[in-house]
Amino acid sequence: MSLGKIGHFLIAAHFWFGCYYDWNYVKIPIEIHDMGDSSFNSKKLKFLTYWDALLQSTFFTICFLNDIFGTNEKYPKSTPFFRKLKDLLLPALAFPLAMFVGVTFWGLYFIDRELIFPRSIDPYFPWWLNHLMHTNIMFFIILELFTSYRKYPSRKLGLSILTLFMVIYLIWIHILNVYTNLWVYPILNVLNFPSRIVFFAICLVLVVGMYLIGEKINAAKWGSYSSKLSLKKQ
């Protein structure tokens, strides 16, 4: 059973509100945690977390629009635009990025939170916003995966879109480093050049792994429908 119009609307609205609040009200003084804003003020767009929050907001908005103008049928006679977009966006970006952001953030947080979310910024970044950005993204995308059927794209297409997205973000944080001489994430400041290469490679492997996990879960949950669809075409 799909989350439905109300569920998708509320989830999208709560992510949009989080993005709005973070952009307009979370102001961390440079003397508390300098992220290079005095040299190149990219605001929240420096963080993959914010990119992902915007992505989740957009994805669940598309789910809501699909509930109204598209279809959630397993075997539609024709596939509306919003359904096609929904079926591509979750596998290629929304699920793997949500899981990657959540797992890496909380993993590093419990190892040494100063590497990812220093204690000094706690007074400026509300706890509820932290969970919205790093916990809810995982919970709601998993819920969507289990409650709504989708046709996964070819692995080549899905991984190509995901890899391109990650490469673009990797280029972006290096541009920020050139202009500010600072890294967006504290962990990058304690790694030397070879270690950073290994770190980035591990991150790419991890996000690809998240894609494959999503693909496996989708097949395990909805594979019977895919089999029925194949039989109907014979």
Side-chain angles (χ1 to χ4, degrees):
M1 179 183 292
S2 171
L3 292 171
K5 293 189 289 288
I6 295 177
H8 285 139
F9 175 81
L10 292 175
I11 295 171
H14 119 288
F15 279 128
W16 282 121
F17 175 76
C19 292
Y20 168 80
Y21 187 94
D22 191 11
W23 186 273
N24 290 283
Y25 295 104
V26 176
K27 311 292 184 183
I28 301 173
I30 293 176
E31 60 272 17
I32 297 297
H33 187 56
D34 187 1
M35 293 173 286
D37 288 343
S38 60
S39 303
F40 191 91
N41 192 358
S42 57
K43 295 186 176 180
K44 309 301 176 179
L45 294 177
K46 62 172 65 67
F47 300 113
L48 184 61
T49 293
Y50 198 81
W51 284 36
D52 180 61
L54 290 175
L55 174 65
Q56 303 304 319
S57 304
T58 302
F59 171 71
F60 282 103
T61 299
I62 291 170
C63 291
F64 171 68
L65 293 174
N66 179 67
D67 292 334
I68 299 174
F69 302 109
T71 178
N72 288 302
E73 293 181 12
K74 299 180 181 67
Y75 320 119
K77 294 180 180 179
S78 62
T79 308
F81 171 74
F82 287 115
R83 174 61 181 274
K84 290 180 180 177
L85 197 55
K86 174 185 173 183
D87 284 0
L88 178 63
L89 196 56
L90 183 142
L93 291 175
F95 180 84
L97 284 175
M99 298 306 296
F100 173 78
V101 168
V103 169
T104 54
F105 175 84
W106 289 115
L108 290 171
Y109 186 97
F110 287 116
I111 292 172
D112 182 357
R113 66 168 297 183
E114 297 300 317
L115 297 174
I116 192 73
F117 196 83
R119 288 179 176 81
S120 59
I121 69 176
D122 282 350
Y124 307 94
F125 201 97
W127 66 267
W128 61 264
L129 184 60
N130 186 16
H131 282 292
L132 186 151
M133 294 287 191
H134 300 113
T135 306
N136 295 6
I137 52 170
M138 295 188 290
F139 175 77
F140 286 122
I141 204 65
I142 291 174
L143 189 62
E144 175 65 23
L145 187 65
F146 275 95
T147 58
S148 179
Y149 169 79
R150 76 213 37 80
K151 180 183 178 182
Y152 252 63
S154 68
R155 186 176 291 180
K156 180 179 179 181
L157 175 60
L159 287 178
S160 294
I161 294 172
L162 177 60
T163 301
L164 178 62
F165 182 95
M166 294 301 290
V167 169
I168 289 172
Y169 182 73
L170 186 60
I171 293 172
W172 171 235
I173 63 172
H174 277 82
I175 290 173
L176 293 176
N177 176 254
V178 168
Y179 276 95
T180 66
N181 199 33
L182 291 170
W183 290 104
V184 172
Y185 300 104
I187 187 173
L188 297 176
N189 291 315
V190 301
L191 298 177
N192 58 27
F193 181 71
S195 298
R196 283 198 298 270
I197 293 177
V198 172
F199 178 78
F200 291 137
I202 291 173
C203 286
L204 183 58
V205 170
L206 181 58
V207 77
V208 168
M210 294 301 176
Y211 177 95
L212 298 177
I213 289 173
E215 187 181 63
K216 294 293 184 183
I217 293 174
N218 189 74
K221 171 63 178 176
W222 304 105
S224 58
Y225 294 120
S226 300
S227 299
K228 291 177 183 178
L229 184 58
S230 298
L231 290 174
K232 292 178 75 171
K233 290 182 177 180
Q234 291 179 358

